[in-house]
Amino acid sequence: MERVIDVTAVRRQFGTLLDEVFHKGDAVTVVRKGKPMARIVPVALPSSQEGQISEQQRALLDELDSLPALAMDDEPTELLRTMRKQKRKQAGKDYGC
């Protein structure tokens, strides 16, 4: 997936952005004042490593894909609170509470 992100947002959440690029294969164009400055793309894996994902890694990737998309301008703390509330509600339903 191709995304365009402002340089200020990249600075704030660089680690998260790198994880998305590496694990999801996203390509990101970094812009400053609307002008493209750089592009972040995943490194191509050697053909011997492609497709060798463990079941645990596949489960984690599926969980990552199911998380709500975080806009770079969103407040991470508020997103975490919302996710925790939803998780508690779901746990209550699972246990019949």
Side-chain angles (χ1 to χ4, degrees):
M1 180 170 98
E2 178 70 32
R3 293 172 41 196
V4 178
I5 300 176
D6 184 66
V7 68
T8 304
V10 172
R11 247 186 259 141
R12 281 187 304 201
Q13 298 185 357
F14 189 69
T16 302
L17 185 64
L18 283 181
D19 286 342
E20 289 178 10
V21 168
F22 180 76
H23 293 293
K24 291 184 175 181
D26 292 351
V28 176
T29 301
V30 180
V31 297
R32 177 185 285 158
K33 298 180 182 177
K35 180 181 175 186
M37 301 298 288
R39 192 149 189 259
I40 303 172
V41 295
V43 175
L45 294 174
S47 60
S48 63
Q49 291 182 350
E50 288 181 15
Q52 294 182 352
I53 298 176
S54 71
E55 290 301 317
Q56 183 181 14
Q57 289 171 323
R58 173 60 52 204
L60 289 172
L61 285 173
D62 291 341
E63 184 178 343
L64 180 63
D65 287 337
S66 71
L67 293 174
L70 176 64
M72 291 297 163
D73 295 334
D74 289 349
E75 179 62 38
T77 306
E78 288 302 317
L79 180 66
L80 285 173
R81 285 183 183 140
T82 303
M83 289 171 57
R84 288 177 182 147
K85 285 179 186 176
Q86 290 173 350
K87 198 170 188 177
R88 280 188 227 119
K89 286 180 185 177
Q90 184 62 38
K93 289 178 186 177
D94 291 344
Y95 295 113
C97 295

